Amino acid sequence: MAEDELTGGCQCGAVRYRVPATPLRASVCYCRMCQRASGGPFMAFMRYAAADVAWSGRQAIFRSSNFVERGFCAACGTPLTYRWVEGPNISLTLNSLDDPEAVRPDLRYSAETEVSWCRTLDSLPTKDADVTGDARFVNHQWAGG
């Protein structure tokens, strides 16, 4: 990978991508469609010109509305993209990056539908749940780089 590129992909490694290091925009979205698509309180995306994304593997597409399609890995289910059907850009899920710290969101969409408990997460007690050190642990996620 070149220094001016980022890589990422799904959990199982069947779908991978390579993009320029600097996206057009990075954001989080709290809309109900993103909440349902992710099963979480929001989704984080980075936007690129669709022509600037190099893919290996093929993602499955779900047309979540008449305006938008969402891409995901058919093998493991990882959400990967959000795209306006008639637009030139594509948004990739930020945390599908191999290094999710490489890009930081600079905008919030649909903040009015943020679930109230999101604002209190940093006050919750923490607990270490890392089981990777257990001798019985077997990782089935893609570990390439």
Side-chain angles (χ1 to χ4, degrees):
M1 177 181 73
E3 284 185 34
D4 58 343
E5 293 181 328
L6 299 171
T7 58
C10 67
Q11 291 184 82
C12 71
V15 182
R16 301 282 302 154
Y17 61 81
R18 190 176 69 254
V19 293
T22 304
L24 300 171
R25 153 144 284 136
S27 61
V28 294
C29 183
Y30 296 93
C31 81
R32 284 298 292 147
M33 289 187 76
C34 282
Q35 289 172 354
R36 286 188 181 249
S38 68
F42 62 88
M43 289 187 83
F45 294 107
M46 50 190 182
R47 182 185 306 162
Y48 290 91
D52 289 344
V53 182
W55 293 97
S56 64
R58 186 178 180 100
Q59 60 180 332
I61 301 294
F62 172 65
R63 191 144 181 193
S64 60
S65 74
N66 57 322
F67 295 131
V68 171
E69 63 184 26
R70 293 170 185 270
F72 60 96
C73 175
C76 67
T78 302
L80 293 167
T81 63
Y82 170 97
R83 183 175 187 175
W84 281 84
V85 175
E86 296 181 14
N89 298 323
I90 190 167
S91 294
L92 288 83
T93 52
L94 194 71
N95 282 66
S96 66
L97 279 171
D98 293 336
D99 177 8
E101 292 287 345
V103 175
R104 187 174 198 88
D106 57 19
L107 180 70
R108 294 185 325 149
Y109 285 105
S110 303
E112 70 280 359
T113 53
E114 175 186 35
V115 290
S116 62
W117 51 262
C118 267
R119 291 175 235 121
T120 64
L121 290 176
D122 63 349
S123 66
L124 294 176
T126 62
K127 181 178 180 178
D128 183 12
D130 184 2
V131 297
T132 59
D134 187 307
R136 299 167 295 161
F137 177 75
V138 178
N139 185 358
H140 296 287
Q141 292 183 321
W142 185 79

